Amino acid sequence: MKERGRIVGAGARVIAVMPDGQELRASLYERRRTSAGWEYRVGVTVWWTGSGGRPEPAEHRVWLGAGQVRPLEGGDYSRVPTRLSSMPAAFAGGRQAWTVQQLPHRPGHPGATLIHVIGCQPGGIPLDLDQTLDALKQPRAVTCRECNAASSLP
C-alpha cells in the first residue's frame, strides 16, 4: 500500500464507519485515550492519479472516534500501539464503563472472555459495573493488560 507515494505496512484490519453509514475496510495503526475518549488512527485506501495519469491506490490516514471503528471478526489487535493518558478509566455517562470481547475457540486454544475499559477494543457494547463483574465470574474471563482494566474495577 502507498502512503504519499511510499510503501507502508498494513495494520490490524477494522471497519471504519463513515458519517453516512457506509462501512469501509481500513487498517488500524494506533489507538489513544484522550480526555474525550478513545481515538483510533486508521488508514483507508483511496485512488489518486499517479504517474502517467494512471489511477493508483494510496492510503489516507485519519483519527476516528470509538463509534466510527469496529473490529473485524478474528482480528489481532495485540500489536497495535496504545497510548494511555494519565486520566482515570474512561467514562460513559459520568460512570465507569467496560466492554467484553469474546475470543473464539481455536485448535489448541480454548475460547476466552476479555474485559476492556470502554474504548480499548473498537466497537464494544458498554457494560456497567454489575455486568462486568458477572462477566468476570465466567470461566476463562480475564481483564485486558493493555488498558489496565483490572485497575479500574473496585
Side-chain angles (χ1 to χ4, degrees), residues 94-113:
R95 298 188 324 249
Q96 288 180 332
W98 300 267
T99 58
V100 173
Q101 177 187 12
Q102 298 297 329
L103 302 174
H105 174 79
R106 301 178 310 193
H109 299 281
T113 300

Side-chain angles (χ1 to χ4, degrees), residues 47-134:
W47 292 86
W48 67 295
T49 304
S51 59
R54 292 183 310 234
E56 295 182 11
E59 184 175 77
H60 176 69
R61 292 189 185 182
V62 63
W63 285 98
L64 297 176
Q68 298 171 285
V69 179
R70 288 200 331 254
L72 283 174
E73 182 70 30
D76 179 13
Y77 303 97
S78 63
R79 294 186 179 188
V80 175
T82 302
R83 292 189 282 150
L84 303 175
S85 68
S86 58
M87 65 180 245
F91 290 86
R95 298 188 324 249
Q96 288 180 332
W98 300 267
T99 58
V100 173
Q101 177 187 12
Q102 298 297 329
L103 302 174
H105 174 79
R106 301 178 310 193
H109 299 281
T113 300
L114 190 57
I115 306 296
H116 300 275
V117 170
I118 193 167
C120 175
Q121 184 71 21
I125 297 172
L127 301 176
D128 63 23
L129 178 59
D130 291 334
Q131 293 168 319
T132 302
L133 294 175
D134 286 343

